Amino acid sequence: MKILQITNKVPYPETDGGAIACMNVLRGLVSAGHEVTLLSMVTIKHSINLSDIPPEIKGLAKIKLVNVPAPINAWDALQNLLFSKIPYNAARFIDKSFSNELREILKKNEFDIVQLEGLYVCPYIPVIRELSNAKIVYRSHNIEYEIWERTACVSKGFKKWYLKNLSKRIKRFEISLLNSYDLVVPITQRDGDILNQLGNKKPMHVSQTGIDLSYLIPDDSEIEPFSVFHIGALDWAPNQEGVVWFLNNCWTELLKHKPETKFYVAGRNAPDWFVSKISGKNVFYEGEVEDAYRFINSKAVMVVPLLSGSGMRIKIVEGMALGKPIVSTSIGSEGIQTTSGKNILIADEARDFSAGILQLLDDKKLFESLSANASLFIHENFNNLVLTEKLTEFYKKHLE
């Protein structure tokens, strides 16, 4: 098959869940023998030149990058709120130069599949319909309005009002795009169920983000005793909220019982206010670590204290693959179909969250059991090659 993959940010470097989800499916499709063209926006937030992408990545696909600044500006956001029906989050990615480049690619090439990565490239569906007979696939990375709806719930004042309004506008936008595609591929079953409830009538195949298990090798030879860690993109509001909540509500209690415990926070693009906010006793801000897998292997217990967000947290999948015992909120583990007490610990109240971490630090048998079961669960359910094979079978069926 010839596949055009369209993204609203370059999926390299693979430093966040969205980039990993796009790049891993690209690798899987190429490994399965399909020809992929990648068309990506280069934004201010995710700025990169084609020359910065290593040859082994450029060798996977024909890559075309288009500058789409997509700035975040308070004045523009206010104008959008007052005068536009399209929510600001989507309007930022509607760009004439990108539309023109897409037109040129479609005029010069025939594709079997056009795979749209996420909600904010769906406004280009009319252009694809005009110039191509390809099946259009909406690969839903999450339920977008739900992210902002949940963030509004943990916000205050004007921010709370604005985010509630924004979430309603995004929901209307998501609903308006339903069934404009030919096929829909949500990353989690839960997201698929929500899309169906909203009105999706198109054929659906749930395809979770797979990982290359050959790169994720558990190594407990250098685990730092009594170490707790969080890793994730620190310019993402749900991660920021979660870490601050953990420190405000759980950390003091943990130190009372285990004063030698240390908390490590790793991730890219942390704003200055966040770095200042998380300073405290036995708290260490690591920034963007050079080798994420080595960092994960070197620590004992992973925490994912998410209070908002949607979709699937790829860092949980990677952590489990590396045999990390994880304590997460229900939202954090959402969409991965984990089992609390068997391959993860789920806790939504601060007291339970702290207790789960202390239990793992004290109970070696539980620690080792969760570690082994977590790794086994990922090997059985998240092999990228297996998941991509099932996805391409779904595509071929509907092409026929």
Side-chain angles (χ1 to χ4, degrees), residues 19 104 214 281 289 398:
E104 288 302 308
S214 65
K281 184 179 179 182
V289 292
H398 289 283

Side-chain angles (χ1 to χ4, degrees), residues 1-199:
M1 289 186 295
K2 292 186 68 175
I3 300 169
L4 174 60
Q5 184 182 21
I6 302 178
T7 70
N8 70 333
K9 66 179 179 182
V10 182
Y12 181 87
E14 296 158 75
T15 50
D16 60 69
I20 292 168
C22 294
M23 188 57 73
N24 282 6
V25 77
L26 169 58
R27 286 194 179 97
L29 291 168
V30 172
S31 296
H34 305 292
E35 182 183 325
V36 180
T37 298
L38 174 66
L39 174 62
S40 294
M41 299 181 187
V42 178
T43 66
I44 293 172
K45 186 176 180 181
H46 299 96
S47 181
I48 190 171
N49 296 315
L50 190 60
S51 59
D52 298 327
I53 300 175
E56 60 268 24
I57 300 296
K58 287 191 280 191
L60 293 172
K62 298 175 184 177
I63 300 176
K64 181 65 181 179
L65 308 184
V66 181
N67 286 318
V68 179
I72 300 174
N73 179 285
W75 174 247
D76 289 344
L78 179 60
Q79 285 190 308
N80 173 271
L81 178 65
L82 296 174
F83 303 114
S84 176
K85 292 182 178 180
I86 300 174
Y88 184 57
N89 298 44
R92 291 169 49 230
F93 297 104
I94 297 174
D95 183 87
K96 187 175 181 180
S97 60
F98 189 81
S99 179
N100 289 340
E101 186 58 45
L102 173 59
R103 287 177 177 276
E104 288 302 308
I105 290 174
L106 293 173
K107 287 176 183 177
K108 295 176 181 177
N109 300 273
E110 289 187 9
F111 296 100
D112 300 298
I113 297 289
V114 177
Q115 184 169 294
L116 301 169
E117 300 283 355
L119 180 69
Y120 297 135
V121 289
C122 286
Y124 295 96
I125 288 176
V127 175
I128 302 166
R129 290 278 185 227
E130 178 188 341
L131 297 168
S132 175
N133 293 319
K135 292 289 186 183
I136 300 175
V137 179
Y138 170 36
R139 188 170 182 233
S140 172
H141 288 215
N142 49 51
I143 303 301
E144 195 68 31
Y145 79 85
E146 190 174 51
I147 297 174
W148 303 101
E149 187 175 72
R150 287 172 166 176
T151 303
C153 289
V154 295
S155 301
K156 296 178 180 179
F158 176 77
K159 182 180 180 181
K160 185 181 187 74
W161 174 85
Y162 177 79
L163 292 179
K164 283 180 68 176
N165 184 282
L166 178 64
S167 69
K168 291 176 182 177
R169 299 180 76 211
I170 293 175
K171 185 174 183 179
R172 288 195 294 269
F173 181 69
E174 285 189 90
I175 291 172
S176 74
L177 289 167
L178 287 174
N179 304 307
S180 60
Y181 42 78
D182 299 305
L183 307 170
V184 60
V185 179
I187 281 179
T188 73
Q189 183 60 56
R190 178 183 178 276
D191 288 357
D193 292 341
I194 293 174
L195 288 171
N196 285 339
Q197 290 167 14
L198 291 174

Side-chain angles (χ1 to χ4, degrees), residues 209-221:
T209 300
I211 56 175
D212 186 343
L213 295 167
S214 65
Y215 287 98
L216 288 106
I217 310 299
D219 180 5
D220 60 1
S221 61

Side-chain angles (χ1 to χ4, degrees), residues 135 393-400:
K135 292 289 186 183
E393 287 174 0
F394 172 70
Y395 288 170
K396 288 177 181 178
K397 173 186 174 183
H398 289 283
L399 285 172
E400 292 170 359

Side-chain angles (χ1 to χ4, degrees), residues 245 306-307 328-332 346-353:
W245 174 84
L306 282 183
L307 309 177
S328 172
T329 57
S330 299
I331 289 176
I346 305 297
D348 291 315
E349 300 297 329
R351 181 184 300 177
D352 299 331
F353 206 96

